[in-house]
Amino acid sequence: MVTQTRVHLHTLALLICVVHLSRPVCVDIPSETNAVLGKSMKLTCIFCMKRDEIKSKTHVDWYYMPNKEKDIPSNKTPIYKYVVDSPVELDGPFKGRLAWNGSPDLQDLSIRIINVTYNDSGIYECNVYRQFKFDNYKPSAFITKAIKLKVKAKATGETAALYSEIMMYVLLVCLTFWLLVEMVYCYRKISKSDEQAQDTATNYLAIPSEQKDNPAAPVTE
């Protein structure tokens, strides 16, 4: 399964490369929601533009909200922004642990948390405001994407993926055992054939030479 996954990823990368060479492409994918304690975590925020040749001005605001408790509204804390063609890390609980992880064309507006802690669990909100520039017309667009992040002590795979990996190893063990059995069977069969051939040759050599030269006379009436 791991090999097949790598083949699929390699094929997908080639397809993306071909498409990228022919025309710009943007794929809107959801962000990961499980982070590992002490590792880095990318908060993915994608806002695709239909035509990259259209000029635009982009403003991004990232917010953090602790997990909302019942009947208690959560506070929205600004933690990062992108304005005037430059990312800016704001003062607060994430100061020094956030990095811009977006793309030059500003279709990917993601950020990365460095050295994740348990206190980083909560809801992250990505607000993107984009104003397009035409000759006499300046339309705008706005999106909001929320990411509910959960921090775990260590990485854990999905149940289905774990089960598939276990089955793969079981299948490999069974195939290996079957091959060993087949090899032993073939070896014993070849050895037995060699012994029979050797016995036949030995018996032939044991026959007196006169019996070999003078075959028995035919019986006549």
Side-chain angles (χ1 to χ4, degrees):
M1 178 180 178
V2 176
T3 303
Q4 293 178 350
T5 303
R6 290 179 178 175
V7 171
H8 293 331
L9 290 176
H10 180 67
T11 304
L12 179 60
L14 291 177
L15 291 175
I16 292 177
C17 182
V18 172
V19 174
H20 178 72
L21 292 175
S22 60
R23 59 173 298 181
V25 64
C26 176
V27 180
D28 191 356
I29 58 175
S31 175
E32 294 289 338
T33 57
N34 292 325
V36 180
L37 182 66
K39 303 295 184 178
S40 63
M41 175 66 186
K42 180 180 179 179
L43 301 175
T44 304
C45 180
I46 306 293
F47 186 7
C48 296
M49 296 175 59
K50 294 183 179 180
R51 300 178 61 181
D52 67 331
E53 65 269 16
I54 299 176
K55 296 182 179 180
S56 65
K57 182 179 180 180
T58 303
H59 184 95
V60 185
D61 289 301
W62 277 93
Y63 298 93
Y64 168 74
M65 293 170 286
N67 290 321
K68 184 178 180 181
E69 298 181 2
K70 187 177 180 180
D71 300 330
I72 300 177
S74 58
N75 297 323
K76 183 187 293 187
T77 304
I79 58 175
Y80 209 91
K81 68 179 181 179
Y82 187 97
V83 62
V84 194
D85 299 330
S86 178
V88 179
E89 186 180 13
L90 303 178
D91 294 332
F94 293 90
K95 183 68 174 180
R97 295 195 301 117
L98 295 179
W100 179 254
N101 206 168
S103 59
D105 59 3
L106 296 182
Q107 297 195 84
D108 186 352
L109 307 157
S110 306
I111 60 175
R112 182 174 294 276
I113 306 175
I114 302 171
N115 190 19
V116 174
T117 67
Y118 283 120
N119 293 330
D120 296 339
S121 295
I123 300 175
Y124 295 82
E125 191 175 276
C126 173
N127 294 338
V128 184
Y129 173 81
R130 203 188 301 273
Q131 184 180 53
F132 301 96
K133 298 179 180 180
F134 295 95
D135 293 336
N136 298 318
Y137 181 55
K138 294 184 178 180
S140 61
F142 179 82
I143 64 167
T144 299
K145 294 189 176 183
I147 304 169
K148 188 174 182 180
L149 187 67
K150 183 177 181 180
V151 180
K152 298 182 178 180
K154 58 182 180 179
T156 56
E158 296 181 357
T159 304
L162 181 61
Y163 177 77
S164 300
E165 188 172 355
I166 293 175
M167 291 301 297
M168 179 189 68
Y169 286 116
V170 171
L171 180 60
L172 287 176
V173 171
C174 293
L175 289 175
T176 303
F177 179 75
W178 178 78
L179 288 174
L180 289 175
V181 172
E182 287 293 324
M183 291 177 62
V184 172
Y185 173 76
C186 292
Y187 176 78
R188 294 182 63 181
K189 189 173 182 179
I190 293 173
S191 299
K192 187 175 182 180
S193 299
D194 292 341
E195 291 177 358
Q196 291 178 352
Q198 187 176 2
D199 292 342
T200 302
T202 302
N203 294 335
Y204 179 79
L205 293 175
I207 299 176
S209 59
E210 60 272 10
Q211 293 185 8
K212 298 179 185 178
D213 298 334
N214 301 319
V219 178
T220 58
E221 295 182 355

